[in-house]
Amino acid sequence: MKKGLKRWTSMLLISCMALVVAGCGSSQSSSGSGEQAEGKKEPIKFMHMFDKNAEGGGLHQAELLDTFITENPDIKLDQEVQSHDNYETKIKTLAAANELPDVFLIKSSMVTTFVENGLVMSVDEMLDKDADWKNGFVDGALDTYQVDGKTYGIQFSGGPTHAIYYNKDLVAQAGFNEFPKTWDDFLKLIDNLKAKDITPIAFGNKGKWLANSSYMSTLGDRFTGTEWFNKLVNNQGSKFTDPEFVQALTLFQDLAKRGAFNSDMNSIDNNQMKTLYYNGKAAMFIEGAWASNAVETGGPKEILDKTELAIFPAIDGAKGEQNGVSGGGGWAYAVNVNIDKAKLDDVAKMLKFLSDKDAAKVILKYGDIPSSKVENMDELNLSPMTKKMVKMLETTKYVPIYDSRLSPGLTESMNAAIQDMLIGQITPEKAAEVMQKEFDNEM
């Protein structure tokens, strides 16, 4: 029995019951441009959640799919469109029954189990055949879909969960005409801002997730490197109690002890923290790419005009990528390992159309961050913050987002431990022990 197969069997029973309760009422089927003609090649069975008639994310993929169908009448698609709420349950049910469609969406947290159970094929060969497509992805965009050096997912959009939104005027008043490039200068900036009675970093961690997703995922990788995390999630020897990870926790706690954050950080949420920034009472806040739209639509124009973007500066002695930021997309396209090989060229053509540098321009049009690099960005009609975000990502590398790769139970344990650690209720060492205990219990 392959590793993880028992987990799939249990999942099948649970998922089937969930689908019966849901009634599968939000799924719908659609095909390509017309019925399949007699003697023609079989259609590509494709399940996704991109409904052009529904609100929400992924509308860029719905538009791109319509265009692809129009421009490629010889390629037939047998589409099944699930609602976002139903999709994950349905795909796990099909996986447990070994009845997956040819092409489908997969989360980075699912990849290892799908690979261990022999359900998905590596997409490296199709990427290797097209160097422009392969090399066009943002550095690290596909890393979270890799197992043992092979890639099993093609991401199309995503973004960083870590970005520093800062008021350039307040930073200049604290003695820095540009954002600090080293950690020592970053600490000096924090001290100078405090001396001027300005909160250095507005922080709203009431929901607990922000510290993990937007701070710790980036800080942790700076100290441990990504390979450490990959070994952790695959239970190959890495531990939360390893010195490098404890160093990252310690650095995070030291920021709190230094007074980098507002004292009520665990009592306000991420919207309230942005209010501190909008009011000019804080020089910075840290959140993901999604906050760009909030700044543009919710903040006063005088603050928007002063807002620039940065990432944590390099940390001396830390062994990870010092330009790394936690980021990537929640979903990527995967290919059934049992697909008719005669369909692969058409599948590659479709997946490239949905994810390459030309697709990136459509994705940007909808306000999302593409996984491929953007060419001739100045020619596009983009908002100022979107342009700044894309520009920043040209010199960064995506590293894992902890709370998108780890189980819900472990994530909640991490969130609670970090929250307690930041207000001095537990030490970094104790926080690491709490996380490791939960990890060991799950294993």
Side-chain angles (χ1 to χ4, degrees):
M1 179 176 285
K2 294 179 181 177
K3 183 180 178 183
L5 194 54
K6 289 183 179 179
R7 189 185 340 172
W8 282 115
T9 304
S10 300
M11 189 181 297
L12 173 60
L13 295 173
I14 296 169
S15 299
C16 284
M17 288 188 290
L19 284 170
V20 169
V21 172
C24 297
S26 58
S27 68
Q28 55 180 304
S29 296
S30 62
S31 62
S33 52
E35 296 294 324
Q36 181 188 352
E38 190 106 8
K40 298 287 185 179
K41 52 190 174 184
E42 289 292 315
I44 297 167
K45 294 181 179 179
F46 183 18
M47 194 173 95
H48 57 83
M49 50 188 169
F50 306 127
D51 184 353
K52 63 184 178 183
N53 298 314
E55 294 183 1
L59 290 175
H60 44 76
Q61 294 298 286
E63 178 182 324
L64 286 164
L65 274 168
D66 275 355
T67 305
F68 179 80
I69 289 168
T70 300
E71 294 182 2
N72 298 275
D74 60 315
I75 299 177
K76 307 300 179 184
L77 303 182
D78 179 6
Q79 299 183 67
E80 180 179 349
V81 184
Q82 288 284 332
S83 73
H84 183 277
D85 291 344
N86 277 353
Y87 182 85
E88 186 168 349
T89 300
K90 181 67 181 287
I91 203 65
K92 287 178 177 178
T93 301
L94 294 174
N98 201 20
E99 295 178 354
L100 288 165
D102 296 323
V103 181
F104 53 95
L105 294 166
I106 191 171
K107 268 185 176 179
S108 56
S109 58
M110 300 175 184
V111 172
T112 298
T113 303
F114 274 66
V115 171
E116 287 174 348
N117 286 284
L119 298 170
V120 289
M121 66 177 290
S122 166
V123 294
D124 288 317
E125 186 173 344
M126 64 174 66
L127 287 170
D128 289 339
K129 289 180 179 178
D130 193 325
D132 286 343
W133 181 26
K134 178 181 180 179
N135 297 329
F137 287 99
V138 173
D139 195 14
L142 304 183
D143 288 0
T144 56
Y145 306 97
Q146 293 178 345
V147 176
D148 296 332
K150 294 182 178 180
T151 308
Y152 294 91
I154 294 176
Q155 186 179 275
F156 47 90
S157 71
T161 65
H162 167 87
I164 301 175
Y165 297 77
Y166 70 94
N167 184 318
K168 62 182 180 181
D169 285 4
L170 293 181
V171 167
Q173 289 174 28
F176 289 84
N177 291 323
E178 62 176 11
F179 200 81
K181 297 289 193 298
T182 68
W183 196 261
D184 285 344
D185 279 346
F186 183 55
L187 296 179
K188 184 177 179 181
L189 170 62
I190 289 170
D191 292 342
N192 291 354
L193 287 166
K194 280 190 62 187
K196 291 182 175 294
D197 203 26
I198 298 169
T199 299
I201 306 171
F203 192 10
N205 195 43
K206 183 178 180 179
K208 300 181 184 180
W209 60 269
L210 187 66
N212 194 345
S213 189
S214 297
Y215 285 78
M216 199 61 219
S217 296
T218 294
L219 281 177
D221 195 87
R222 293 288 179 89
F223 280 93
T224 67
T226 302
E227 185 59 27
W228 175 90
F229 184 77
N230 290 335
K231 288 182 177 179
L232 178 80
V233 295
N234 291 312
N235 197 23
Q236 294 176 342
S238 293
K239 294 182 179 297
F240 287 107
T241 50
D242 289 339
E244 311 95 288
F245 188 74
V246 174
Q247 281 182 308
L249 290 171
T250 302
L251 188 80
F252 197 3
Q253 188 187 62
D254 286 346
L255 285 177
K257 288 181 177 179
R258 200 180 194 96
F261 312 124
N262 41 293
S263 59
D264 59 349
M265 57 187 159
N266 284 344
S267 301
I268 67 172
D269 62 24
N270 59 316
N271 291 318
Q272 292 169 303
M273 83 178 179
K274 285 192 280 288
T275 299
L276 291 176
Y277 179 76
Y278 297 155
N279 291 340
K281 295 180 179 179
M284 298 171 262
F285 74 90
I286 299 175
E287 206 172 346
W290 59 84
S292 293
N293 184 63
V295 174
E296 289 183 322
T297 60
K301 187 177 186 305
E302 60 268 24
I303 295 296
L304 172 62
D305 292 342
K306 298 173 184 177
T307 299
E308 299 293 340
L309 296 176
I311 63 172
F312 278 143
I315 302 169
D316 287 342
K319 68 180 185 181
E321 293 278 355
Q322 296 305 300
N323 66 335
V325 294
S326 50
W331 297 93
Y333 293 115
V335 182
N336 189 334
V337 71
N338 295 318
I339 189 174
D340 180 353
K341 300 304 184 285
K343 298 180 182 181
L344 285 178
D345 286 344
D346 288 344
V347 167
K349 187 175 184 179
M350 179 181 72
L351 296 185
K352 177 182 179 180
F353 195 90
L354 297 173
S355 64
D356 70 0
K357 59 187 179 183
D358 293 322
K361 296 177 182 179
V362 177
I363 293 167
L364 278 172
K365 183 179 73 173
Y366 284 88
D368 208 347
I369 303 297
S371 299
S372 289
K373 301 167 188 173
V374 183
E375 295 183 347
N376 304 317
M377 187 175 62
D378 292 338
E379 299 174 4
L380 303 178
N381 184 24
L382 303 175
S383 69
M385 288 303 298
T386 299
K387 286 185 177 181
K388 290 175 183 179
M389 183 65 68
V390 174
K391 190 71 176 175
M392 183 190 79
L393 293 174
E394 290 177 356
T395 56
T396 61
K397 174 182 172 61
Y398 282 150
V399 299
I401 309 167
Y402 289 172
D403 53 347
S404 76
R405 297 283 304 277
L406 300 173
S407 72
L410 180 54
T411 296
E412 177 55 32
S413 177
M414 289 184 71
N415 291 351
I418 292 171
Q419 192 178 58
D420 290 343
M421 181 194 76
L422 289 174
I423 57 174
Q425 290 188 350
I426 60 174
T427 65
E429 290 79 9
K430 180 61 178 177
E433 289 174 9
V434 169
M435 298 173 199
Q436 187 60 40
K437 182 179 179 180
E438 178 64 26
F439 179 85
D440 290 340
N441 288 340
E442 290 192 5
M443 289 298 105

